[in-house]
């Protein structure tokens, strides 16, 4: 099973954004990449929690 099972976040392909003259931030932190990094971090934390639960369940069974 692949890691990318959730829908991807798509960012607008606004020409003004590409020029850097569009000042509305996608994530409120200044850079659209920040939003992507936050999503990746959240997914990693969720995956680690899921792995921990599975490991704890396996230890209880054996």
């Amino acid at each position: 099973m692949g890691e990318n099972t959730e829908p991807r976040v798509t960012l607008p392909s606004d020409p003004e954004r590409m020029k850097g003259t569009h000042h509305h931030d996608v994530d409120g932190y200044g850079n659209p990449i920040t939003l992507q990094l936050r999503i990746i971090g959240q997914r990693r934390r969720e995956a680690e929690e899921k792995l921990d639960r599975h490991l704890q369940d396996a230890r209880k069974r054996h």
Side-chain angles (χ1 to χ4, degrees):
M1 181 187 299
E3 291 181 28
N4 300 324
T5 58
E6 295 181 24
R8 291 183 178 207
V9 174
T10 57
L11 299 174
S13 59
D14 184 4
E16 291 297 314
R17 178 173 291 287
M18 299 306 285
K19 292 179 193 173
T21 59
H22 191 259
H23 297 291
H24 182 313
D25 299 329
V26 172
D27 64 350
Y29 290 96
N31 191 336
I33 300 300
T34 305
L35 175 60
Q36 294 172 342
L37 291 173
R38 288 179 178 276
I39 291 169
I40 291 169
Q42 180 63 34
R43 288 180 180 170
R44 180 175 292 137
R45 284 188 294 278
E46 290 170 357
E48 288 173 352
E49 290 170 1
K50 184 177 179 181
L51 177 60
D52 286 341
R53 284 192 304 269
H54 284 290
L55 291 173
Q56 288 174 2
D57 290 343
R59 287 184 191 121
K60 290 177 184 178
R61 291 183 190 148
H62 296 290

